Amino acid sequence: MTEPGRAEPEPEPEFVSEAGELVRPYVITRGRDLPDEGEFALITLVTTATDEQQRPQRLSPEEQQILEMCSSGYLSVAEIAAHSQLPLGVVKVLLSSLAEGGYLVTRAPVPSARPTTKALLKEVLDGLKALPV
């Protein structure tokens, strides 16, 4: 009871999460480790290797979602992480698992070209100047 003249305190509102239930990353990855550092760079392109009729049903919902996304063409690892709203590390583990199972085809990023030296540029310029006009 409250004293006369004092209002009753309002009950505190219940906290409702907009994110829904939280699933820990190690549950989604089934405790698997990250793949090697160079295996799935952010710009590695990924697509499915099989038809949807051959897709097994024993895959997790997250793996099914990734295969669904990649079935229409190549997506980068970064795009897959963004569209699936999963942490990048989790996506890399799932991609590694799917690639090992033969469900994905990956295209590694093109390595950077060697830097050009000043001497090589001078030789090219001298060669261009020597051409007949």
Coordinates of all heavy atoms in Angstrom, one line a residue, residues 73-131:
G73 N 24.3 -17.2 -58.8 CA 25.5 -16.7 -59.3 C 26.6 -16.5 -58.3 O 26.4 -16.9 -57.2
Y74 N 27.6 -15.8 -58.7 CA 28.8 -15.6 -57.7 C 28.5 -14.5 -56.8 O 28.0 -13.4 -57.2 CB 30.0 -15.3 -58.5 CG 30.7 -16.5 -59.1 CD1 30.5 -16.9 -60.4 CD2 31.6 -17.3 -58.3 CE1 31.1 -18.0 -60.9 CE2 32.2 -18.4 -58.8 CZ 32.0 -18.7 -60.1 OH 32.6 -19.8 -60.6
L75 N 28.8 -14.7 -55.5 CA 28.7 -13.7 -54.4 C 30.1 -13.8 -53.7 O 30.7 -14.8 -53.6 CB 27.6 -14.0 -53.4 CG 26.2 -13.7 -53.8 CD1 25.2 -14.2 -52.8 CD2 26.0 -12.3 -54.1
S76 N 30.5 -12.6 -53.2 CA 31.7 -12.6 -52.4 C 31.4 -13.0 -51.0 O 30.3 -13.0 -50.6 CB 32.3 -11.2 -52.4 OG 31.5 -10.3 -51.6
V77 N 32.5 -13.4 -50.3 CA 32.3 -13.8 -48.9 C 31.7 -12.7 -48.1 O 30.8 -12.9 -47.2 CB 33.7 -14.3 -48.3 CG1 33.6 -14.6 -46.8 CG2 34.2 -15.5 -49.1
A78 N 32.1 -11.5 -48.3 CA 31.6 -10.3 -47.6 C 30.1 -10.1 -47.9 O 29.3 -9.8 -47.0 CB 32.4 -9.0 -48.0
E79 N 29.7 -10.3 -49.1 CA 28.3 -10.2 -49.5 C 27.4 -11.3 -48.8 O 26.3 -11.0 -48.3 CB 28.1 -10.3 -51.0 CG 28.6 -9.1 -51.8 CD 28.5 -9.3 -53.3 OE1 28.9 -10.4 -53.7 OE2 28.1 -8.3 -53.9
I80 N 28.0 -12.5 -48.7 CA 27.2 -13.6 -48.1 C 27.0 -13.3 -46.6 O 26.0 -13.4 -46.0 CB 28.0 -14.9 -48.3 CG1 27.9 -15.3 -49.8 CG2 27.3 -16.0 -47.4 CD1 28.9 -16.4 -50.1
A81 N 28.1 -12.8 -46.0 CA 28.0 -12.4 -44.5 C 27.0 -11.3 -44.3 O 26.2 -11.3 -43.4 CB 29.4 -12.0 -44.0
A82 N 27.0 -10.3 -45.2 CA 26.0 -9.2 -45.1 C 24.6 -9.6 -45.3 O 23.7 -9.3 -44.5 CB 26.4 -8.1 -46.1
H83 N 24.3 -10.4 -46.3 CA 23.0 -10.9 -46.6 C 22.5 -11.9 -45.6 O 21.3 -11.8 -45.2 CB 22.9 -11.5 -48.0 CG 23.1 -10.6 -49.1 ND1 22.3 -9.5 -49.3 CD2 24.0 -10.6 -50.1 CE1 22.6 -8.8 -50.4 NE2 23.7 -9.5 -50.9
S84 N 23.3 -12.7 -45.0 CA 22.9 -13.7 -44.1 C 22.8 -13.1 -42.6 O 22.2 -13.7 -41.8 CB 23.8 -14.9 -44.1 OG 25.1 -14.5 -43.6
Q85 N 23.4 -12.0 -42.4 CA 23.5 -11.3 -41.1 C 24.2 -12.2 -40.1 O 23.8 -12.2 -38.9 CB 22.1 -10.8 -40.7 CG 21.5 -9.8 -41.6 CD 20.1 -9.4 -41.1 OE1 19.5 -10.0 -40.3 NE2 19.7 -8.3 -41.7
L86 N 25.2 -13.0 -40.5 CA 26.0 -13.8 -39.6 C 27.3 -13.2 -39.5 O 27.8 -12.5 -40.5 CB 26.1 -15.2 -40.2 CG 24.8 -16.0 -40.2 CD1 25.0 -17.3 -41.0 CD2 24.3 -16.3 -38.8
P87 N 28.0 -13.4 -38.4 CA 29.4 -12.9 -38.3 C 30.3 -13.5 -39.4 O 30.1 -14.7 -39.8 CB 29.8 -13.4 -36.9 CG 28.6 -13.7 -36.2 CD 27.6 -14.1 -37.2
L88 N 31.3 -12.8 -39.8 CA 32.2 -13.2 -40.9 C 32.8 -14.5 -40.6 O 33.0 -15.4 -41.5 CB 33.2 -12.1 -41.2 CG 34.1 -12.4 -42.3 CD1 33.4 -12.5 -43.6 CD2 35.2 -11.2 -42.4
G89 N 33.3 -14.7 -39.4 CA 34.0 -16.0 -39.0 C 33.1 -17.2 -39.1 O 33.5 -18.2 -39.6
V90 N 31.8 -17.0 -38.8 CA 30.8 -18.1 -38.9 C 30.6 -18.4 -40.3 O 30.5 -19.6 -40.7 CB 29.5 -17.7 -38.2 CG1 28.4 -18.7 -38.5 CG2 29.7 -17.5 -36.7
V91 N 30.5 -17.4 -41.2 CA 30.3 -17.6 -42.6 C 31.4 -18.3 -43.2 O 31.3 -19.3 -44.0 CB 30.0 -16.2 -43.3 CG1 30.0 -16.4 -44.8 CG2 28.7 -15.7 -42.9
K92 N 32.7 -18.0 -42.8 CA 33.8 -18.7 -43.4 C 33.8 -20.1 -43.0 O 34.2 -21.0 -43.8 CB 35.1 -18.0 -42.9 CG 35.4 -16.7 -43.6 CD 36.7 -16.1 -43.1 CE 37.1 -14.8 -43.8 NZ 38.4 -14.3 -43.4
V93 N 33.5 -20.4 -41.7 CA 33.4 -21.8 -41.3 C 32.4 -22.6 -42.1 O 32.6 -23.7 -42.6 CB 33.1 -21.9 -39.8 CG1 32.8 -23.4 -39.4 CG2 34.3 -21.4 -39.0
L94 N 31.2 -22.0 -42.3 CA 30.1 -22.7 -43.0 C 30.5 -22.9 -44.5 O 30.3 -23.9 -45.1 CB 28.8 -21.9 -42.9 CG 28.2 -21.8 -41.5 CD1 27.0 -20.9 -41.5 CD2 27.8 -23.2 -41.0
L95 N 31.1 -21.8 -45.1 CA 31.6 -21.9 -46.5 C 32.6 -23.1 -46.6 O 32.6 -23.8 -47.6 CB 32.2 -20.6 -47.0 CG 31.2 -19.5 -47.2 CD1 31.9 -18.2 -47.5 CD2 30.2 -19.9 -48.3
S96 N 33.5 -23.1 -45.7 CA 34.6 -24.2 -45.7 C 33.9 -25.6 -45.7 O 34.3 -26.5 -46.4 CB 35.5 -24.0 -44.5 OG 36.5 -25.0 -44.5
S97 N 33.0 -25.7 -44.8 CA 32.3 -27.0 -44.7 C 31.5 -27.4 -46.0 O 31.6 -28.5 -46.4 CB 31.3 -26.9 -43.5 OG 30.5 -28.1 -43.4
L98 N 30.8 -26.4 -46.5 CA 30.1 -26.6 -47.8 C 31.1 -26.9 -49.0 O 30.7 -27.7 -49.8 CB 29.2 -25.4 -48.1 CG 28.0 -25.2 -47.2 CD1 27.4 -23.9 -47.4 CD2 27.0 -26.4 -47.4
A99 N 32.2 -26.2 -49.0 CA 33.2 -26.5 -50.1 C 33.8 -27.9 -49.9 O 34.0 -28.6 -50.9 CB 34.3 -25.4 -50.0
E100 N 34.1 -28.3 -48.7 CA 34.6 -29.6 -48.5 C 33.6 -30.7 -48.9 O 34.0 -31.8 -49.4 CB 34.9 -29.8 -47.0 CG 36.2 -29.1 -46.6 CD 36.4 -29.2 -45.0 OE1 35.7 -30.0 -44.4 OE2 37.3 -28.6 -44.6
G101 N 32.3 -30.4 -48.7 CA 31.2 -31.4 -49.1 C 31.0 -31.4 -50.6 O 30.2 -32.1 -51.1
G102 N 31.6 -30.5 -51.4 CA 31.4 -30.4 -52.8 C 30.2 -29.6 -53.3 O 29.8 -29.7 -54.4
Y103 N 29.6 -28.8 -52.3 CA 28.4 -28.1 -52.7 C 28.7 -26.7 -53.2 O 27.8 -26.1 -53.8 CB 27.5 -27.9 -51.5 CG 27.2 -29.3 -50.8 CD1 27.6 -29.5 -49.5 CD2 26.5 -30.2 -51.5 CE1 27.3 -30.8 -49.0 CE2 26.2 -31.5 -51.0 CZ 26.6 -31.7 -49.7 OH 26.3 -32.9 -49.1
L104 N 29.9 -26.2 -53.1 CA 30.3 -24.9 -53.5 C 31.5 -24.9 -54.4 O 32.4 -25.7 -54.3 CB 30.6 -24.0 -52.3 CG 29.5 -23.6 -51.4 CD1 30.0 -22.7 -50.2 CD2 28.4 -22.9 -52.1
V105 N 31.6 -23.9 -55.3 CA 32.8 -23.7 -56.1 C 33.3 -22.3 -55.7 O 32.5 -21.3 -55.6 CB 32.4 -23.7 -57.6 CG1 33.6 -23.3 -58.5 CG2 31.9 -25.0 -58.0
T106 N 34.5 -22.1 -55.5 CA 35.1 -20.8 -55.1 C 36.1 -20.4 -56.2 O 36.7 -21.2 -56.9 CB 35.8 -20.9 -53.8 OG1 36.9 -21.8 -53.9 CG2 34.9 -21.4 -52.7
R107 N 36.2 -19.1 -56.3 CA 37.1 -18.4 -57.2 C 37.9 -17.5 -56.4 O 37.4 -16.4 -55.9 CB 36.4 -17.7 -58.3 CG 37.4 -17.1 -59.3 CD 36.7 -16.3 -60.4 NE 35.9 -17.2 -61.2 CZ 35.0 -16.8 -62.1 NH1 34.8 -15.5 -62.3 NH2 34.3 -17.6 -62.8
A108 N 39.2 -17.8 -56.2 CA 40.1 -17.0 -55.3 C 40.3 -15.6 -56.0 O 40.3 -15.5 -57.2 CB 41.4 -17.7 -55.1
P109 N 40.6 -14.6 -55.2 CA 40.9 -13.3 -55.8 C 42.2 -13.3 -56.6 O 43.1 -14.1 -56.3 CB 41.0 -12.4 -54.6 CG 41.1 -13.2 -53.4 CD 40.6 -14.6 -53.7
V110 N 42.3 -12.5 -57.6 CA 43.5 -12.4 -58.4 C 44.6 -11.7 -57.6 O 44.4 -10.7 -57.0 CB 43.2 -11.6 -59.7 CG1 44.4 -11.4 -60.5 CG2 42.1 -12.2 -60.5
P111 N 45.8 -12.3 -57.6 CA 46.9 -11.7 -56.8 C 47.3 -10.4 -57.4 O 47.2 -10.2 -58.6 CB 48.0 -12.8 -56.9 CG 47.7 -13.7 -58.0 CD 46.2 -13.6 -58.2
S112 N 47.8 -9.5 -56.6 CA 48.2 -8.2 -57.0 C 49.5 -8.4 -57.9 O 50.3 -9.2 -57.7 CB 48.6 -7.4 -55.8 OG 47.5 -7.2 -55.0
A113 N 49.5 -7.5 -58.9 CA 50.7 -7.4 -59.8 C 51.9 -6.9 -59.1 O 51.8 -6.1 -58.1 CB 50.4 -6.6 -61.0
R114 N 53.1 -7.3 -59.5 CA 54.3 -6.8 -58.9 C 54.4 -5.3 -59.2 O 54.1 -4.8 -60.3 CB 55.5 -7.5 -59.5 CG 55.6 -8.9 -59.1 CD 56.9 -9.6 -59.7 NE 57.0 -9.2 -61.1 CZ 58.1 -9.4 -61.8 NH1 59.2 -10.0 -61.2 NH2 58.2 -9.1 -63.0
P115 N 54.9 -4.5 -58.3 CA 55.1 -3.1 -58.6 C 56.2 -2.9 -59.6 O 57.1 -3.6 -59.8 CB 55.5 -2.5 -57.2 CG 55.9 -3.7 -56.4 CD 55.3 -4.9 -57.0
T116 N 55.9 -1.8 -60.4 CA 56.9 -1.5 -61.5 C 58.0 -0.7 -61.0 O 57.8 0.2 -60.1 CB 56.1 -0.7 -62.6 OG1 54.8 -1.2 -62.8 CG2 56.8 -0.8 -63.9
T117 N 59.2 -0.9 -61.5 CA 60.4 -0.1 -61.1 C 60.5 1.1 -62.0 O 60.0 1.1 -63.1 CB 61.6 -1.0 -61.1 OG1 61.9 -1.3 -62.5 CG2 61.5 -2.2 -60.2
K118 N 61.2 2.1 -61.5 CA 61.5 3.3 -62.2 C 62.3 3.0 -63.5 O 62.1 3.5 -64.5 CB 62.2 4.3 -61.3 CG 62.1 5.7 -61.8 CD 62.7 6.6 -60.7 CE 62.3 8.1 -61.0 NZ 62.8 9.0 -60.0
A119 N 63.3 2.1 -63.3 CA 64.1 1.7 -64.5 C 63.3 1.1 -65.6 O 63.6 1.4 -66.8 CB 65.2 0.7 -64.0
L120 N 62.3 0.2 -65.3 CA 61.5 -0.4 -66.3 C 60.7 0.7 -67.0 O 60.6 0.6 -68.3 CB 60.6 -1.5 -65.7 CG 59.6 -2.2 -66.6 CD1 60.4 -2.9 -67.7 CD2 58.7 -3.1 -65.9
L121 N 60.1 1.6 -66.3 CA 59.3 2.6 -66.9 C 60.2 3.5 -67.8 O 59.7 3.9 -68.9 CB 58.7 3.5 -65.8 CG 57.5 2.8 -65.0 CD1 57.1 3.7 -63.9 CD2 56.4 2.4 -65.9
K122 N 61.4 3.8 -67.4 CA 62.4 4.5 -68.3 C 62.7 3.8 -69.5 O 62.7 4.4 -70.6 CB 63.6 4.8 -67.5 CG 64.6 5.8 -68.3 CD 65.7 6.2 -67.4 CE 66.7 7.1 -68.1 NZ 66.6 7.4 -69.5
E123 N 62.9 2.5 -69.5 CA 63.1 1.7 -70.7 C 61.9 1.7 -71.6 O 62.1 1.8 -72.8 CB 63.5 0.2 -70.3 CG 64.8 0.0 -69.7 CD 65.1 -1.4 -69.3 OE1 64.6 -2.3 -70.0 OE2 65.7 -1.7 -68.3
V124 N 60.7 1.6 -71.1 CA 59.5 1.7 -71.9 C 59.4 3.0 -72.6 O 59.1 3.1 -73.8 CB 58.3 1.4 -71.1 CG1 57.0 1.7 -71.9 CG2 58.3 0.0 -70.6
L125 N 59.7 4.1 -71.8 CA 59.6 5.5 -72.4 C 60.7 5.6 -73.5 O 60.4 6.2 -74.6 CB 59.8 6.5 -71.3 CG 59.7 8.0 -71.7 CD1 58.3 8.3 -72.3 CD2 60.0 8.9 -70.6
D126 N 61.9 5.2 -73.3 CA 62.9 5.3 -74.3 C 62.6 4.5 -75.5 O 62.8 4.9 -76.6 CB 64.3 4.8 -73.7 CG 64.8 5.7 -72.6 OD1 64.4 6.9 -72.6 OD2 65.7 5.2 -71.8
G127 N 61.9 3.3 -75.3 CA 61.5 2.5 -76.5 C 60.4 3.2 -77.3 O 60.4 3.1 -78.5
L128 N 59.5 3.8 -76.6 CA 58.5 4.6 -77.3 C 59.0 5.7 -78.1 O 58.6 6.0 -79.2 CB 57.4 5.0 -76.3 CG 56.5 3.9 -75.7 CD1 55.6 4.5 -74.6 CD2 55.7 3.3 -76.8
K129 N 60.0 6.4 -77.5 CA 60.6 7.6 -78.2 C 61.4 7.1 -79.4 O 61.5 7.9 -80.4 CB 61.6 8.3 -77.2 CG 60.8 9.1 -76.2 CD 61.8 9.8 -75.3 CE 61.1 10.6 -74.2 NZ 62.1 11.2 -73.3
A130 N 61.9 5.9 -79.4 CA 62.7 5.4 -80.5 C 61.9 4.9 -81.7 O 62.4 4.7 -82.8 CB 63.6 4.2 -80.0
L131 N 60.6 4.8 -81.5 CA 59.7 4.3 -82.5 C 59.6 5.4 -83.6 O 59.6 6.6 -83.4 CB 58.3 4.0 -82.0 CG 58.1 2.8 -81.1 CD1 56.7 2.8 -80.6 CD2 58.4 1.5 -81.9

